[in-house]
Amino acid sequence: MRLGGRLGSGMPRRALLLPALIAILATLSIYALLSKLAVVEIRSGDEVERITITCGSKLVVSFNNSVTGSPVSFLFNVCGDGFQGVGVVADEITVEYYTAGLIDINGSIKAFKSQVLEYCSSQEVRVLVGGRELSFKGVCIVLRVRPYVDLQS
């Protein structure tokens, strides 16, 4: 075997480096794209729905408050690291019911971040995420979010 820039097959080392470099760059590019995705899992009893979304997608959970009868919507931004509170849409009577006038509900929800949300309703809970609208009647639902690509598992 001769030293001097050629492997046993006679192919220059530079020619082997180029395909390896392209493969590495392609893998990193694919990972970068996949890291911008998240999976929202919505569980109701034994039923599970999984929706793939892009980070920064909006999630809206809506229902009618069982005491006031008024519609309520909780708004979140979603990424693989959690549901980030954005705001609450409700009438004044319902806001008063939730807060007793002691807290700013929209200010408080902006400080909220969690990987799990739970809602129960004797009526209907509607979820809008990733362009899909789902409806659940008379049940509890659990929403979980996780990264689409997780290097830790």
Side-chain angles (χ1 to χ4, degrees):
M1 179 159 106
R2 221 179 88 191
L3 296 178
R6 295 190 182 270
L7 295 176
S9 67
M11 183 178 277
R13 286 185 187 174
R14 277 186 262 173
L16 292 176
L17 288 177
L18 184 60
L21 182 60
I22 290 170
I24 291 169
L25 290 174
T27 301
L28 290 174
S29 296
I30 290 168
Y31 176 76
L33 289 173
L34 292 177
S35 69
K36 300 293 183 198
L37 298 177
V39 176
V40 175
E41 178 183 280
I42 305 165
R43 183 176 299 271
S44 171
D46 293 335
E47 295 181 37
V48 178
E49 185 81 30
R50 290 180 182 89
I51 301 170
T52 301
I53 58 159
T54 56
C55 287
S57 291
K58 306 292 183 218
L59 169 82
V60 180
V61 178
S62 301
F63 54 90
N64 285 341
N65 180 283
S66 59
V67 174
T68 67
S70 298
V72 179
S73 293
F74 287 88
L75 299 95
F76 301 90
N77 283 330
V78 187
C79 201
D81 62 344
F83 301 102
Q84 176 67 56
V86 173
V88 178
V89 178
D91 65 10
E92 286 184 42
I93 294 169
T94 304
V95 169
E96 178 69 23
Y97 168 77
Y98 283 134
T99 67
L102 300 175
I103 61 169
D104 171 15
I105 195 167
N106 279 301
S108 295
I109 197 167
K110 288 177 184 173
F112 175 84
K113 187 167 191 174
S114 177
Q115 288 187 308
V116 179
L117 301 174
E118 296 182 46
Y119 291 91
C120 294
S121 177
S122 58
Q123 300 172 22
E124 178 183 32
V125 177
R126 293 171 307 284
V127 177
L128 177 63
V129 63
R132 300 212 22 222
E133 186 168 1
L134 303 153
S135 178
F136 305 90
K137 295 189 182 193
V139 297
C140 293
I141 61 171
V142 178
L143 297 93
R144 295 182 192 281
V145 65
R146 65 174 175 78
Y148 187 84
V149 176
D150 189 358
L151 291 177
Q152 297 176 7
S153 55

